[in-house]
Coordinates of all heavy atoms in Angstrom, one line a residue:
M67 N -52.2 -32.4 -33.7 CA -52.9 -31.6 -32.7 C -53.9 -30.6 -33.4 O -55.0 -30.3 -32.9 CB -51.9 -30.8 -31.9 CG -52.4 -30.0 -30.7 SD -51.1 -29.3 -29.7 CE -52.1 -28.5 -28.5
L78 N -50.9 -26.5 -16.1 CA -49.5 -26.9 -15.8 C -49.0 -26.1 -14.6 O -49.1 -24.8 -14.6 CB -48.6 -26.6 -17.0 CG -48.8 -27.5 -18.2 CD1 -48.2 -26.8 -19.5 CD2 -48.3 -28.8 -18.0
Y109 N -51.9 -38.2 -18.1 CA -51.0 -37.0 -17.8 C -49.7 -37.5 -17.1 O -49.8 -38.3 -16.2 CB -51.8 -36.0 -16.9 CG -53.0 -35.5 -17.6 CD1 -54.3 -36.0 -17.2 CD2 -52.9 -34.5 -18.6 CE1 -55.4 -35.5 -17.8 CE2 -54.1 -34.1 -19.2 CZ -55.3 -34.5 -18.8 OH -56.4 -34.1 -19.4
V121 N -22.1 -15.9 -9.3 CA -21.6 -14.7 -8.6 C -20.2 -14.5 -9.0 O -19.4 -15.4 -9.0 CB -21.8 -14.9 -7.1 CG1 -20.8 -13.9 -6.3 CG2 -23.2 -14.7 -6.6
R130 N 0.6 -2.2 -1.2 CA 1.5 -2.2 -0.1 C 2.8 -1.6 -0.6 O 3.1 -1.4 -1.8 CB 1.8 -3.7 0.3 CG 2.6 -4.6 -0.7 CD 3.1 -5.8 0.0 NE 3.7 -6.7 -0.9 CZ 5.0 -6.7 -1.4 NH1 5.7 -5.6 -1.1 NH2 5.4 -7.6 -2.2
V138 N -3.9 -8.3 4.2 CA -5.0 -9.3 4.1 C -5.8 -9.0 2.8 O -6.3 -7.9 2.7 CB -5.9 -9.3 5.3 CG1 -7.0 -10.3 5.1 CG2 -5.1 -9.6 6.6
N189 N -26.7 -22.3 -3.9 CA -27.4 -21.7 -5.0 C -26.6 -20.9 -6.0 O -27.1 -20.4 -7.0 CB -28.5 -20.7 -4.5 CG -29.6 -21.5 -3.7 OD1 -30.0 -22.6 -4.1 ND2 -30.1 -20.9 -2.6
G234 N 16.6 -6.1 3.9 CA 18.1 -6.2 4.3 C 19.0 -5.4 3.4 O 20.2 -5.7 3.4
T253 N 28.2 30.9 6.2 CA 29.4 31.1 5.4 C 30.6 31.3 6.3 O 30.4 31.3 7.6 CB 29.2 32.3 4.5 OG1 29.2 33.5 5.4 CG2 28.0 32.3 3.6
D262 N 21.1 25.4 10.4 CA 20.5 24.2 9.8 C 21.3 23.8 8.6 O 21.7 24.6 7.7 CB 19.0 24.5 9.3 CG 18.1 24.7 10.5 OD1 18.4 24.1 11.6 OD2 17.0 25.2 10.3
F271 N 17.8 9.3 -6.9 CA 16.8 8.6 -7.7 C 16.7 7.2 -7.2 O 17.8 6.6 -6.9 CB 17.0 8.7 -9.2 CG 16.1 7.8 -9.9 CD1 14.8 8.1 -10.2 CD2 16.5 6.5 -10.3 CE1 14.0 7.3 -10.9 CE2 15.7 5.6 -11.0 CZ 14.3 6.0 -11.3
G319 N 40.0 38.4 7.9 CA 40.6 39.7 7.7 C 40.4 40.7 8.8 O 40.6 41.9 8.7
G323 N 40.7 45.7 16.3 CA 39.7 46.8 16.2 C 38.4 46.4 15.6 O 37.3 47.0 15.9
G326 N 35.4 42.7 17.3 CA 34.3 42.7 18.2 C 34.8 42.3 19.6 O 33.9 42.1 20.5
V332 N 44.2 40.6 32.0 CA 44.9 40.9 33.2 C 46.4 40.5 33.1 O 46.7 39.3 32.8 CB 44.3 40.2 34.5 CG1 45.2 40.5 35.7 CG2 42.9 40.8 34.7
T335 N 53.0 40.6 37.1 CA 54.3 40.0 37.4 C 54.6 40.2 38.9 O 54.1 41.1 39.6 CB 55.4 40.8 36.6 OG1 56.7 40.1 36.8 CG2 55.5 42.2 36.9
V343 N 68.1 41.6 40.0 CA 68.3 41.3 38.6 C 67.9 39.9 38.3 O 68.2 39.0 39.1 CB 69.8 41.5 38.2 CG1 70.1 41.0 36.8 CG2 70.1 43.0 38.3
F362 N 40.0 32.4 23.9 CA 41.3 32.9 24.1 C 42.2 31.8 24.7 O 41.8 31.0 25.5 CB 41.3 34.1 25.0 CG 40.4 35.2 24.5 CD1 39.1 35.3 25.0 CD2 40.8 36.1 23.6 CE1 38.2 36.3 24.5 CE2 40.0 37.1 23.1 CZ 38.7 37.2 23.6

Side-chain angles (χ1 to χ4, degrees):
M67 189 172 176
L78 293 165
Y109 301 103
V121 160
R130 71 162 171 84
V138 176
N189 294 323
T253 65
D262 287 340
F271 171 79
V332 173
T335 181
V343 169
F362 303 96

